[in-house]
Amino acid sequence: MNQRDLNNSAQPNQDALGKIYGQHSHWQNVFATNPQMYGTSASQAGFYAISRFTTVGFTKILELGAGQGRDTIAFLRAGFDVTAVDFANEALNEIRNLAGEGLSQHLSTLAQDVRLPLEFADQTFDACYAHMLFTMALTTKELEALASQVYRVLRPGGMCIYTVRHIGDPHFRQGTHLGENLYENGGFIVQFFDNELVNRVGKHFTIEDIHEFEEGQLPRKLWRVTMLKN
């Protein structure tokens, strides 16, 4: 795993921040026009999370950046109570439709921008799961604040599993550089992670594991990070 490229460490300027904050409407449009953009099968990371959460007896799961719900539905079918958070209402509507009457009693949804404090009481959840949310258009400061919120809402002994694209990905340094390791490519803004950023995000946690895997076209190069709340 490579270290941060210091030439890319500058914070985003005002123009870049405008693009970053404009991703909300971009994702709303993406989900509205591509209702099954990522398919309906659970991701590799989702299957891993189900196994880990089941093994330790977790039942109450917070999913951040639930998207179109391919992992959400798998969690529900595995017997978990899931609170799905996304800032795209279209995505949450699709998840509720997919859950139907059979699974909806175990599903809660919340439309929220994760740059804001999470709207849950302390120690509400057993675990947090976020597939590709942390690698979206979030600055380092925003990621650190989000991780602190996740730590707050997890119970002692809780677990957070998240996935991100890393600096070994073919799209790293492609497109428009917006500061830090943020790049815009094809309308999508990605924060590419390195070791330093993983450590900064996990500074309140014990980082148990960083697992490298591939997904989708190119293929995308990802890390699956597992963190524990002491």
Side-chain angles (χ1 to χ4, degrees), residues 88-110:
N89 280 307
E90 287 80 359
L92 296 176
N93 289 337
E94 179 64 17
I95 292 173
R96 287 189 288 267
N97 289 335
L98 289 172
E101 292 185 5
L103 298 174
S104 60
Q105 61 183 326
H106 296 288
L107 172 67
S108 299
T109 61
L110 175 66

Side-chain angles (χ1 to χ4, degrees), residues 125-138:
F125 300 99
D126 296 319
C128 176
Y129 172 81
H131 183 39
M132 302 294 280
L133 182 278
F134 281 58
T135 205
M136 294 292 102
L138 296 167

Side-chain angles (χ1 to χ4, degrees), residues 31 42 44 50 57 65 97 107 118 134 175 208:
F31 288 138
Q44 294 181 48
I50 288 171
N97 289 335
L107 172 67
L118 296 176
F134 281 58
E208 178 189 80

Side-chain angles (χ1 to χ4, degrees), residues 7-80:
N7 292 326
N8 291 330
S9 61
Q11 294 183 0
N13 60 29
Q14 288 302 312
D15 289 341
L17 288 173
K19 289 186 175 183
I20 290 168
Y21 298 145
Q23 285 283 279
H24 186 170
S25 59
H26 175 73
W27 278 105
Q28 292 275 20
N29 292 333
V30 166
F31 288 138
T33 56
N34 299 276
Q36 293 187 347
M37 179 177 178
Y38 295 110
T40 57
S41 298
S43 66
Q44 294 181 48
F47 283 123
Y48 171 80
I50 288 171
S51 177
R52 288 300 309 273
F53 297 163
T54 300
T55 297
V56 294
F58 290 156
T59 59
K60 197 166 184 180
I61 310 302
L62 171 65
E63 183 181 6
L64 298 177
Q68 294 165 313
R70 59 175 177 155
D71 290 329
T72 316
I73 299 303
F75 290 151
L76 292 169
R77 288 173 176 163
F80 299 118

